[in-house]
Structures are given as structure tokens and as C-alpha cells.
Amino acid sequence: MGILEVKGVNKRFGGLQALGDVNLSVAENTVHAIIGPNGAGKSTLLNVLVGKLIPDSGSVMFDGQSVLGRKPHEINQMGISRVFQTPEIFADLTVMENVMIPCFARRDGAFRMHAIERVSNEKGIREEAEAILEDVAMLDKRDMTASSMSRGDKRRLEMAMCLVQEPRLLLLDEPTAGMARADTNNTIALLKEIKQKRDITMCIIEHDMHVVFSLAERITVLAQGTPLVEETPENIKGHPKVREAYLGEAQV
Amino acid sequence: MLGLNSKDATLFFIVILMTMLAPFLLNPFPAESAMAQFNAGYPDLMQRFVIYGIFAIGFNILFGLTGYLSFGHAAFLGVGSYAAVWMYKLLNFNVIYALPVAVIVAGLFSVVIGYVSLRRSGIYFSILTLAFAQMSYNLAYSVLTPITNGETGLQVYNNDPQMFLGDGPRNPHFFGLEMRTNAQLDLGAWTFNFPLGYYFAAILMLASFYLAIRIFRSPMGMMLRAIKSNQTRMSYTGLNTRPYMLAAFVISGMYAGLAGGLLAAMDPLTGAERMQWTASGEVVLMTILGGVGTLLGPILGAGFIKYCEKIFSKINENVLHRWFEALPDWIENPLVWLFARFVGEGWHLTLGLLFMLVVIFLPGGLVQGGQKIGAMFRRRNKNAGGAEARAAQQNPPAE
Ligand SMILES: Nc1ncnc2c1ncn2[C@@H]1O[C@H](COP(=O)(O)OP(=O)(O)O)[C@@H](O)[C@H]1O
Ligand SMILES: [Mg+2]
């Protein structure tokens, strides 16, 4: 039994079968990559996992509990965090505030009426936030407004915001897209380090095969909304079905 | 100090000083001089400054922090007034009953309206609040006449129960201190007013202001700004935006209720027009004009609009003729005609123009204007003291 069990999930958008009978099992404390050509349904699958979309049929179990029908914030409080394909950060807030908010969410839950307490007095939260900024090498940018940062920095900030919550399952949607090589390598190193430090399961969508093969222990290939194969990285490289899926895209 | 950082504490002390010295600051012109009509230091107007200040401070907690633009906040102000007058009718004229009840009733009312309106965001939220406020206005005007006394407006009559009245004052008071008490001080050609009602309302405004600063600097204040910035990220960070929004909405509704209660404390009657959509729009203007999301902005905006309303609407053609009498008639008459369009009944035109100018050239409101002027002076000082500054940089003082 994996920590995440997806069974028979279907999702249609009008005439388009975005997800067709998706089965996926992600084992605890592993890195599981999902690859596939553009439009294969990878982001749609993540949307189902975090409660942004409700599938037409099928079941999604996280740690033995169904996530379907729960609100996004409830699913997050169960221990699932997500990095988006286009970074979702608090653009008008400072970098420091951006990472403090998930710290509050983890400590105080989905809502707490803390209208009189002072942010400047929250020593524990500040330390936690500073520690994660140190980890992603952004401590020097703590007082910058998030919107004024480069795209690469925004991605790293979003990752820091997810990591500081210490989720049990981290979903990453193309975390290195648009990053320079050096930044990509830093991200790989960061994720490896996090993985070593503590128990975490990661599910990563990626186009960059270098990232996939550096991190993943299992790989699922998705094409036209349906998983084609699930294999170890060694076995996937020359797999005929994988070639077919990607060549199919090249021909279009 | 007081749990504020040094910058906020300074701001707070400046506001305390300004409100306490307002009777002097607002009366710069001798009583008999031609400029005396620009004085603002008389009871009714000063009370309006601080009461509408409270209204705008509260509105800014919702609009400034979360970006949700309510077009119905006058409803809470009106409900506060009605609740206060009912306390006069049922118990007695002590505001110790009227004000808390005004705040609580406005709070309950805003829970209901907020709960429904907050199911939508953006323009739909604004429209929902507007619809609710207009409904309340119409109910107050007609259907609910037994409670609101409809068109006539609610006031205290001799045959009202007034259970605790005894031989106490027959005007709003705070344990015997009557709100309409006014002390006058004549200093040479100047006359200064010290209305008790003003100081009472001013102290409540300072308390409201202090609370607003604390909310702005609290974790919840940060959450509210985060909601304005990115609601998607909020939910995927495990935060439920609904209760946060509702809390902000109800807090701002209670501020409005307090303001409404205070209006009824200065003058113990009220009517449905206090809930009209123009009144809701006014607090929006105040907040934007002063500076949305800033601490001081709403107070400045409220003062500015209430000042323009009183002063510009008082000027009429006679006054204008006196101003321009030195000019030949063929210049005087057209000038008077032109200016007359912008004063008296036409003061809204002036307000509209000022509002447009501010929004176009100072999107951050009067506060931004103040900051710009401040920055200009600092730059000039720097140039003047440039040599000193350079010397200081070369020899940093030992710690
Ligand atoms: N909300 C939506 N409404 C309609 N169609 C959608 C929606 N989201 C995704 N799709 C379609 O579903 C298919 C899969 O999209 P997506 O999951 O984003 O693919 P990818 O694997 O590139 O992430 C695409 O054809 C896309 O156009
Ligand atoms: Mg995608």
C-alpha cells in the first residue's frame, strides 16, 4: 500500500478525456516522477490530488483517507503541499512574510483569530522561516517584495514555502521549468538534501530528463490521460512505449 | 512602547497630539476676520471628523488589508445609530448602554451580511453588499416603521419607557457628563471651543486607531494581506480564507456601528438616510482619498471630506461677491458665477474634481502626497548637509 493510491480516476473536459482510468501508487518516502508529453494530463492529475478539480469517477486515498470532496486547505492540512507550474506566491508581501505564512498555517491550523498578537513577537516562527530561507540561499532577500524577484527566485521561494510546512507528500509541477542550468542543479541538490534530512514523499512532474534521472526512484509515463508504463529509471530509458509516446508528440 | 514599534508609536503619539490640540489647530483665524469661515474648530464639525475617522479606520481594515470593496457599510453605521437611540428610549441617555449595544448589534448584522456576501469576491461581492445596504435602507424607510419610525426618523419621546432615567440628564451623557457641554476660551481675537462630546469621541477614535495598528501588525493582519495578494496560495497553504474574511468584515462592521452610535450620542436622533448608498460611497472615497491600506490615510480622508462638505457648502454667492468686490463688475460677475458652481450645493463637484486629481496623480492618496513632500525636503536637506554626511561616512562613529 502506497501513501498515495489513485484508482480508476477519470476526468473529462467537454469532449476531451483529460484523465482516462488513471491508476497510480506512490510508495512512502520515495521520489516518484510523472513524465509525458505536453497535454498528457499531468497537471490535471495534480489538480485532482490537491482538491482543485473533482474527478468524474475513481478514488484518491492519501494515507488511507479519501481526499475527494475535501477543500484544498483541508487537503493541505492532511500533509500534501504543491509547487505550481507557474509560481503561486504572495507577490505583494516580502519574502520573509511569504515563508512565515505557511509556518503559521502549520502551527495554528486553517484559522486562528490572532488579531492582537504581534508578528514581531513570534520568535519561533521567525527562526523557522529564516532557517528555510537559509536552506534555499535566499536569506539576503528576506525584505524584498516577492514580485520584484526573478522567475527562478520565485520558484525557489514557492518551494521554500512548501518545504517549511514539512509536508508528508510534496507535489512538484515542473519545478525547474524556465530555470538556468545552475539553478536547476541547485534545486536538485536542495530536493536531495531535504529527502536525506527527513521522511518525505515526492511526486514530481518534469520535462528535464536530467532532473528526472537524478531524483526519481519510480517513473510513470502518462500519455493522453492514461498511464503507459511504470518503471525504475534504468528500465525506462529504452522502453519502446515511452519512445512511442514522445515520438508521437514530435510528429504532431 | 504599548506593543508598537517605534515608528508606529511615533505616528500614534502624533495623532494623539493632533486630536487633543484640534480645537487650536482647526481655528487658526481670528473669529471676526474674513477668513473665519475656513475655521473648522467648532463642536459639530470636530465631532464629525473623529466619528467618520472611526468609520473609515474600520472600513480600511476590510478594504485596505483584504482588497474586498464593500459598498454597504453605511448599513452598519445606520444600525448602530438606531440601536443607540433605542437604548435612550428604553433605558436612559447614558451612552454606556447605547454605545456597546450599537457595536454589538452592528456586529451581529455584519455577521449575517458578511456570511452571505463573502460567498463571492470582486465586483460580485461589492454588488451584494450594495444590495443588502439598499434593502436595509428601504426596510428602515418603510416596512420596519415600528422600529425605525420611518420617514420621520427615530427620536426619544416623553412617553418612552426610559426605565433608568430617574432625574438624570435628558441628553446623551457619560455618567452625567453631557456630550453637548462646550467650554469656550477667548484669547485676544480668537475663540476656541472645547466640546466634551468631541473629546469623548476623540478618545474612542484613538482607541480604535490603536486597535487598528495592532491588527495591521498582527499575524491576522498578515493573513488578510495575503488574501489580497493570492487566495489560491492561501488555500494551498492550508489556510481557510472564509473565516479570516468574515472576521475582517465583522470587525469593520463593528467600527461602523461604533461610529453610528457616536453620531447618535452627539445628537440623539437618527433616520434611514444614514444607510443610503451615498453614505456607503462616502466612506469608500474617504479611504481612497486618504490612502488605502495606510494607517493614517482613513483619518486624513475622513477629515478632508467632512471639512470640504461643511466649508464649501457654506459658501454662497453673497460670500463670493464680497471676495471679488474689488474687481470691476464685468469680471466680478462671471467669476462669481463660475465659482458658485463649485460651492454651496455644488460642493460635490469640487469633491469630485479633487478626488479625480488625487486618484490620477497620487494613487496612494493624501498619505502618499505627504510622503512625497517629506522626501523632497529630505533630499534638499541632504544636499545642504552633503559635506557633513560625507565626512560622517568616512569616519563612522564608534558604537
Ligand atoms: N480546466 C480545464 N478546462 C478545459 N480543459 C483543460 C483544463 N485543464 C486542462 N485541460 C486540458 O486537458 C489536457 C491536459 O492538460 P494538462 O493536465 O495541463 O497537461 P500537462 O500534462 O501538459 O500538464 C489539455 O488538453 C488541456 O488543454
Ligand atoms: Mg502541466
Side-chain angles (χ1 to χ4, degrees), chain B residues 24 44 95 110 120 177 196 198 265 276:
Chain B
F24 296 108
D44 176 55
V95 294
S110 54
R120 292 281 171 272
L177 297 170
L196 192 136
Y198 166 74
Q276 223 176 354

Side-chain angles (χ1 to χ4, degrees), chain B residues 37-340:
Chain B
Q37 60 193 316
F38 290 108
N39 279 341
Y42 49 93
D44 176 55
L45 189 52
M46 287 200 289
Q47 282 155 8
R48 267 166 196 277
F49 285 163
V50 285
I51 293 173
Y52 281 90
I54 294 174
F55 190 20
I57 291 170
F59 188 75
N60 191 42
I61 292 175
L62 178 70
F63 182 41
L65 288 178
T66 72
Y68 275 61
L69 177 54
S70 162
F71 264 115
H73 259 53
F76 309 129
L77 183 98
V79 165
S81 288
Y82 279 122
V85 176
W86 265 108
M87 285 302 109
Y88 301 150
K89 287 164 86 73
L90 294 177
L91 305 178
N92 66 12
F93 277 110
N94 195 338
V95 294
I96 196 73
Y97 306 115
L99 291 181
V101 170
V103 173
I104 291 167
V105 172
L108 293 176
F109 202 60
S110 54
V111 169
V112 177
I113 294 189
Y115 185 82
V116 179
S117 306
L118 286 168
R119 305 193 144 254
R120 292 281 171 272
S121 59
I123 186 84
Y124 300 100
F125 167 79
S126 303
I127 300 286
L128 279 171
T129 52
L130 177 62
F132 269 115
Q134 277 308 86
M135 260 162 57
S136 314
Y137 166 70
N138 282 309
L139 286 177
Y141 208 76
S142 54
V143 182
L144 293 180
T145 301
I147 300 176
T148 61
N149 208 15
E151 259 180 85
T152 325
L154 194 64
Q155 49 184 303
V156 184
Y157 295 111
N158 283 337
N159 59 357
D160 281 330
Q162 298 201 282
M163 289 183 291
F164 304 160
L165 185 64
D167 46 11
R170 292 179 176 273
N171 267 300
H173 64 95
F174 182 63
F175 294 106
L177 297 170
E178 285 193 52
M179 291 297 151
R180 59 174 190 180
T181 317
N182 183 24
Q184 278 195 339
L185 172 69
D186 289 310
L187 273 182
W190 283 268
T191 303
F192 300 108
N193 293 298
F194 300 90
L196 192 136
Y198 166 74
Y199 278 100
F200 183 78
I203 287 167
L204 287 178
M205 189 207 74
L206 290 172
S208 311
F209 185 54
Y210 174 74
L211 186 64
I213 302 180
R214 290 295 295 260
I215 292 176
F216 268 61
R217 305 293 181 233
S218 72
M220 188 167 117
M222 195 157 84
M223 297 298 173
L224 296 177
R225 282 186 295 128
I227 289 177
K228 181 178 185 177
S229 188
N230 189 339
Q231 289 218 28
T232 309
R233 185 28 94 196
M234 279 299 271
S235 356
Y236 295 108
T237 304
L239 292 160
N240 192 358
T241 54
R242 276 281 189 79
Y244 279 111
M245 282 303 312
L246 189 61
F249 192 90
V250 173
I251 290 171
S252 71
M254 289 165 81
Y255 269 75
L258 176 62
L262 278 172
L263 284 179
M266 301 305 139
D267 198 2
L269 43 85
T270 184
E273 68 290 339
R274 253 177 219 173
M275 301 175 128
Q276 223 176 354
W277 66 272
T278 47
S280 295
E282 196 177 62
V283 73
V284 178
L285 292 192
M286 287 172 181
T287 314
I288 294 178
L289 205 65
V292 185
T294 63
L295 288 168
L296 196 57
I299 302 179
L300 292 182
F304 187 82
I305 289 191
K306 284 297 155 195
Y307 181 80
C308 289
E309 177 183 82
K310 254 290 169 332
I311 303 301
F312 283 112
S313 61
K314 227 168 45 182
I315 300 172
N316 55 28
E317 294 211 6
N318 292 336
V319 179
L320 289 171
H321 275 292
R322 235 182 297 134
W323 283 4
F324 296 120
E325 68 194 347
L327 299 169
D329 267 359
W330 61 273
I331 304 183
E332 181 184 334
N333 288 335
L335 265 185
V336 166
W337 182 86
L338 181 71
F339 277 87

Side-chain angles (χ1 to χ4, degrees), chain A residues 50 52 73 76-77 82 84 88-92 97 101 104-105 110 112 114-119 158 165, chain B residues 3 211 214-215 217-220 222-223 225-226 229-230 233-240 243-244 247 251:
Chain A
V50 297
K52 191 174 181 183
H73 72 262
N76 175 279
Q77 292 283 354
R82 172 178 180 182
F84 284 78
E88 294 277 3
I89 55 173
F90 303 115
D92 310 318
E97 288 171 330
I101 288 172
F104 279 118
R112 191 178 138 197
H114 34 30
I116 296 298
E117 292 93 330
R118 278 173 286 162
V119 173
E158 192 188 23
Q165 291 198 297
Chain B
L211 186 64
R214 290 295 295 260
I215 292 176
R217 305 293 181 233
S218 72
M220 188 167 117
M222 195 157 84
M223 297 298 173
R225 282 186 295 128
S229 188
N230 189 339
R233 185 28 94 196
M234 279 299 271
S235 356
Y236 295 108
T237 304
L239 292 160
N240 192 358
Y244 279 111
I251 290 171

